[in-house]
Amino acid sequence: MMKIVDKSMALTSIFLVGVFLLVVPTGGSLVKFYSKFTLSKRLVGHTLYNMTVRGPQHCIEECVTRKLCESINFNKYLHLCELRTSTAGRFPGEYVDDPNYDYLDISAISYSSGDSCLTSNNCDPGKLCVNLHNTNPVCIPDISHDTCTAEPPTIRGTAINVTDRVVGSVLTYECLPGYNATGDNPNTTCRIDGSWSKANLTCDNGIDSCLADPNCFLPKDFTFDDSYNACYGDMYIKNSTYNPGKYVGIILCSPTRYHLFLSDDFYGMFYNIADGSGSGDDHCELIGGTTSTALESPDYDQSPDIQGYYRQEMNEPFNFGDIGYLGPSYNWFGTWIECGVTIPDDVYVH
């Protein structure tokens, strides 16, 4: 006889369901058995295997016979079973509302007797435990992948030593010197589908956190289009809050006079910024200034015909294309601008 033991409830009666003998909690109701599931919840990602099953008990057994399975999502309408390699407790941010699914941490269920693959699965990770008639349980390959041939996912600011690639192998990311770690799981596991699981780790040396803050100025040299420019002092990069033109490049002529650039590539070329209805006063918004405090260089009427970013009004998105007074566009720019903002005294510098 095979029965499921619910760790938190007394078990008093049993029902025969197909070929399975299902132990049901006090009250004799499958609904009460199902109370171990969290309704309308689903753990996203961490996929081990997805399949169609006969019901919730079948889904549970598919999980228990695989060492890498730690939880399940069950679709009671379509009888879809999603086996997961982790739990909602370890990844609460990936535990979402979903009216089509119910979630179960498999540690809430155990088998006290019956099929030895269910009571004590001794197979290695990546193997499926099968109990054949009149024999001891056998461990067979779950799928064709025995190893992860792909490289583990790249995480910026980390190093990882690939010591093994067999299914079930666990590798640990380490932050490089000068980077600080955040996150609750630095490990990646080789899964039976031949892929590596996603680690929950961020390694930050301050640059990423600064660039995420539109008020933070990062002292950093950058490559820029020097076609029409009068400033060659200290350089800064900051978040523009716009896309296109995600990063603002600032080169100082003096603490109160500068040349502004935009780029979509932090490590790439920074381009000039032009104005389609003036000579750039609205660009002061990019560094915390206003049009009322702006003073533009008077040499915009000599700006060359080049490629760069442009717009017409404050708060409008930027475009990339032809700029320059001497070209066919009406997008003009000068060699410097003042915005009433003193850099670095008036701004937050990383």
Side-chain angles (χ1 to χ4, degrees):
M1 177 178 294
M2 175 180 67
K3 58 182 180 179
I4 296 177
V5 177
D6 183 328
K7 291 182 177 178
S8 64
M9 305 180 68
L11 305 174
T12 59
S13 57
I14 59 176
F15 289 87
L16 189 64
V17 181
V19 297
F20 296 98
L21 200 59
L22 175 64
V23 175
V24 181
T26 302
S29 167
L30 286 175
V31 174
K32 288 191 175 182
F33 160 74
Y34 210 75
S35 68
K36 297 306 298 181
F37 284 76
T38 303
L39 305 184
S40 298
K41 282 288 190 178
R42 186 186 190 189
L43 180 64
V44 177
H46 311 281
T47 302
L48 179 62
Y49 210 55
N50 298 329
M51 64 187 72
T52 301
V53 293
R54 292 182 291 274
Q57 183 181 356
H58 185 192
C59 187
I60 291 171
E61 292 177 354
E62 291 289 352
C63 184
V64 173
T65 53
R66 293 169 168 88
K67 275 285 184 65
L68 294 178
C69 184
E70 297 187 25
S71 64
I72 60 175
N73 301 317
F74 178 66
N75 187 317
K76 53 184 173 291
Y77 305 109
L78 300 177
H79 281 205
L80 298 179
C81 177
E82 298 181 343
L83 307 184
R84 296 297 185 245
T85 60
S86 193
T87 64
R90 290 207 296 274
F91 294 93
E94 298 170 25
Y95 188 45
V96 301
D97 295 327
D98 191 325
N100 296 314
Y101 282 84
D102 300 324
Y103 170 82
L104 174 68
D105 185 328
I106 207 67
S107 65
I109 300 292
S110 68
Y111 289 80
S112 62
S113 62
D115 189 331
S116 54
C117 281
L118 302 176
T119 58
S120 57
N121 180 1
N122 294 317
C123 292
D124 293 330
K127 302 292 185 180
L128 174 64
C129 185
V130 178
N131 195 2
L132 303 177
H133 292 297
N134 302 318
T135 67
N136 292 325
V138 295
C139 301
I140 63 174
D142 202 9
I143 61 173
S144 60
H145 296 88
D146 292 321
T147 62
C148 287
T149 57
E151 295 302 314
T154 299
I155 300 178
R156 184 175 176 178
T158 67
I160 188 167
N161 184 20
V162 182
T163 56
D164 206 343
R165 293 181 178 272
V166 300
V167 169
S169 299
V170 178
L171 307 179
T172 302
Y173 292 91
E174 295 183 354
C175 290
L176 296 174
Y179 287 76
N180 296 316
T182 57
D184 59 6
N185 179 24
N187 299 324
T188 179
T189 301
C190 177
R191 301 180 293 200
I192 61 173
D193 63 359
S195 67
W196 295 94
S197 65
K198 183 180 179 182
N200 182 26
L201 175 69
T202 300
C203 295
D204 183 16
N205 62 356
I207 292 178
D208 292 339
S209 57
C210 180
L211 292 177
D213 180 358
N215 298 312
C216 184
F217 286 63
L218 179 71
K220 182 172 177 56
D221 292 347
F222 55 86
T223 303
F224 61 96
D225 180 354
D226 198 24
S227 300
Y228 200 53
N229 171 47
C231 300
Y232 297 95
D234 292 342
M235 297 185 185
Y236 299 85
I237 299 178
K238 67 180 294 292
N239 182 341
S240 76
T241 73
Y242 287 98
N243 188 10
K246 293 186 290 186
Y247 304 106
V248 185
I250 306 114
I251 304 179
L252 302 187
C253 285
S254 71
T256 58
R257 178 174 292 184
Y258 13 78
H259 194 105
L260 305 181
F261 301 83
L262 283 176
S263 179
D264 284 307
D265 184 353
F266 180 78
Y267 297 100
M269 177 68 71
F270 280 70
Y271 295 90
N272 287 279
I273 317 170
D275 195 336
S277 61
S279 53
D281 57 345
D282 61 284
H283 302 160
C284 286
E285 171 206 356
L286 296 171
I287 60 170
T290 65
T291 57
S292 63
T293 58
L295 176 64
E296 308 100 284
S297 62
D299 53 6
Y300 62 87
D301 59 353
Q302 297 299 312
S303 55
D305 178 18
I306 58 175
Q307 295 279 292
Y309 292 88
Y310 64 90
R311 71 177 182 187
Q312 290 190 336
E313 303 291 341
M314 178 91 75
N315 298 318
E316 282 186 354
F318 288 93
N319 298 294
F320 187 86
D322 293 329
I323 63 172
Y325 189 95
L326 301 181
S329 76
Y330 289 90
N331 305 311
W332 307 336
F333 64 100
T335 57
W336 55 263
I337 192 170
E338 295 181 5
C339 296
V341 177
T342 301
I343 302 173
D345 294 352
D346 294 345
V347 300
Y348 168 63
V349 176
H350 172 71

